[in-house]
Amino acid sequence: MIKTNPTQNLNVNFETYVKERQKQSNAHMDVGIPDYAYASDYIIRQKIKSMPGVYPFFKAVTSQLVPVMKQQTNLAALKVGPNQFPEIYKMTEECARLLGIGVPTVFIQPNLGEFNAYSIAFDDESPAIILNSSVVERLTSDELKTIIGHECGHIHNNHGIFNTAASIILGTAIGSIPLSQQIIQLLSTPLRLMFSAWSRAAEVTCDRAGIICANNPEDIVNAFAKMLSGAVLTKNEVNIEAVMKQYDMLRATPVRLLELEYSHPTTVRRIFAVKEFMNSDVLYRWRPEWKEPGKKLFTKQELDARCEKFINVIDSKKGRAGK
């Protein structure tokens, strides 16, 4: 009997592994940003960076704030690992590997009252994802994976400093940041509106990352629908078509202008935007196994233009996504 080593033909050279990972990552980069990123996300960030003193100031604030926030989280939340909520840890590993980022540290924060998740990151600081316990409790595993993928999208797109700036400017982090109220008072309304617009655009980018990381592209739509109801009693009884009909009512009233101050697009708008992404060639470059033969797909430029008509608060498009 001839004995053979089944691993003898495997290349286990670390340098080769790194080069292959880098090659995979570069295949999905366009002028230094991920190819799935929503154009408005990058364009508004560049405008903010061009404003004298704004970006350096918030970079300095973030460098001081992130380590403190991580320590506070470590004191008050449960750290996920291979032996602590291993299914969530595995999801995070899969999302990180697919997007080509380091595996973030994940915490489950005891908060049943707020249906939320967020990320903490700054340059070379190891990133963290915080999941409120309500999200873990009320979403299925597949739905939760899209939320983790969304937060990995923030990390992949280097949103950390901008997220910190937006949380200060839009007043969502006043309780934890010294002098934040004074900072807000010094800022002009146009700057606040610019950060609001960027934050909404960034959510579109990261929703796309959530789909890329999903087990099924429709999982993120189900997760959004549950967000609208708070996943009441964990029941999945939300009618997606009925939810999408809310959009025409939304766009038909001047009340929608209140959204100009929102940090996130309304959930109905996000559903339309992800439906558009499901009909784009960008998605199937990441997940070719999902592509249906003969399916007509939008280019990246067409995708962003179509999404803009749904996400834009002032000039919203009437109709249905993907048509």
Side-chain angles (χ1 to χ4, degrees):
M1 182 178 180
I2 300 176
K3 294 183 178 180
T4 60
N5 181 353
T7 65
Q8 66 183 2
N9 293 323
L10 292 177
N11 188 340
V12 295
N13 181 272
F14 181 70
E15 184 178 351
T16 301
Y17 167 78
V18 171
K19 287 181 178 179
E20 184 60 29
R21 284 294 301 273
Q22 189 65 47
K23 180 180 177 182
Q24 293 175 359
S25 177
N26 290 342
H28 292 289
M29 300 298 286
D30 183 11
V31 196
I33 61 172
D35 59 1
Y36 64 84
Y38 183 34
S40 293
D41 170 7
Y42 177 74
I43 291 169
I44 299 174
R45 269 190 287 164
Q46 294 306 107
K47 290 180 179 178
I48 292 171
K49 279 189 171 183
S50 70
M51 302 174 72
V54 173
Y55 182 77
F57 171 76
F58 283 111
K59 183 175 182 179
V61 170
T62 305
S63 69
Q64 299 299 312
L65 181 63
V66 165
V68 174
M69 292 178 67
K70 288 176 65 178
Q71 289 301 321
Q72 290 174 335
T73 302
N74 197 44
L75 284 171
L78 184 70
K79 184 178 178 181
V80 170
N83 301 312
Q84 188 82 269
F85 286 85
E87 185 180 15
I88 293 177
Y89 182 77
K90 182 181 178 183
M91 292 179 199
T92 308
E93 281 191 316
E94 290 174 352
C95 292
R97 182 173 63 251
L98 183 56
L99 295 178
I101 61 173
V103 180
T105 303
V106 178
F107 293 93
I108 298 176
Q109 182 170 262
N111 188 339
L112 290 172
E114 186 178 3
F115 204 68
N116 193 26
Y118 58 95
S119 58
I120 303 173
F122 171 75
D123 286 359
D124 56 358
E125 287 283 339
S126 57
I129 294 174
I130 291 81
L131 305 172
N132 281 2
S133 52
S134 57
V135 173
V136 177
E137 180 187 63
R138 299 177 190 178
L139 295 182
T140 67
S141 295
D142 287 344
E143 292 162 356
L144 181 60
K145 190 176 183 183
T146 69
I147 302 302
I148 292 172
H150 173 103
E151 298 305 328
C152 285
H154 281 301
I155 296 164
H156 190 207
N157 285 271
N158 297 313
H159 285 166
I161 294 171
F162 291 90
N163 276 335
T164 300
S167 69
I168 295 173
I169 291 173
L170 304 180
T172 59
I174 288 177
S176 60
I177 301 175
L179 300 178
S180 56
Q181 289 180 325
Q182 291 87 335
I183 293 171
I184 292 171
Q185 290 171 1
L186 292 172
L187 296 171
S188 67
T189 297
L191 183 59
R192 289 201 298 273
L193 292 177
M194 181 179 290
F195 267 96
S196 295
W198 169 76
S199 185
R200 293 193 299 272
E203 292 303 306
V204 175
T205 291
C206 297
D207 287 344
R208 294 175 180 180
I211 297 174
I212 289 169
C213 294
N215 292 333
N216 183 300
E218 291 292 338
D219 291 332
I220 197 168
V221 178
N222 294 331
F224 285 161
K226 285 186 176 182
M227 286 180 186
L228 279 172
S229 67
V232 178
L233 299 178
T234 71
K235 293 182 180 179
N236 188 15
E237 296 180 352
V238 177
N239 185 312
I240 299 298
E241 284 302 314
V243 168
M244 294 177 74
K245 286 179 181 178
Q246 290 181 219
Y247 172 82
D248 285 339
M249 183 182 297
L250 171 73
R251 62 170 295 280
T253 169
V255 174
R256 74 181 188 280
L257 298 180
L258 294 174
E259 295 178 59
L260 290 171
E261 294 275 2
Y262 287 11
S263 62
H264 288 53
T266 57
T267 302
V268 179
R269 292 184 188 276
R270 292 173 74 177
I271 290 174
F272 272 93
V274 298
K275 288 284 189 180
E276 295 289 0
F277 187 59
M278 292 176 196
N279 289 291
S280 73
D281 60 2
V282 179
L283 174 58
Y284 300 103
R285 290 203 295 267
W286 285 88
R287 302 300 298 266
E289 70 274 19
W290 288 345
K291 187 175 181 180
E292 300 172 8
K295 184 173 184 177
K296 186 179 184 302
L297 301 174
F298 307 135
T299 66
K300 175 60 163 54
Q301 291 74 20
E302 290 171 335
L303 167 66
D304 284 342
R306 292 175 70 91
C307 282
E308 184 66 19
K309 292 178 180 179
F310 290 114
I311 298 299
N312 189 304
V313 174
I314 304 295
D315 183 24
S316 299
K317 176 183 177 181
K318 182 177 181 179
R320 291 290 178 263
K323 295 182 180 179

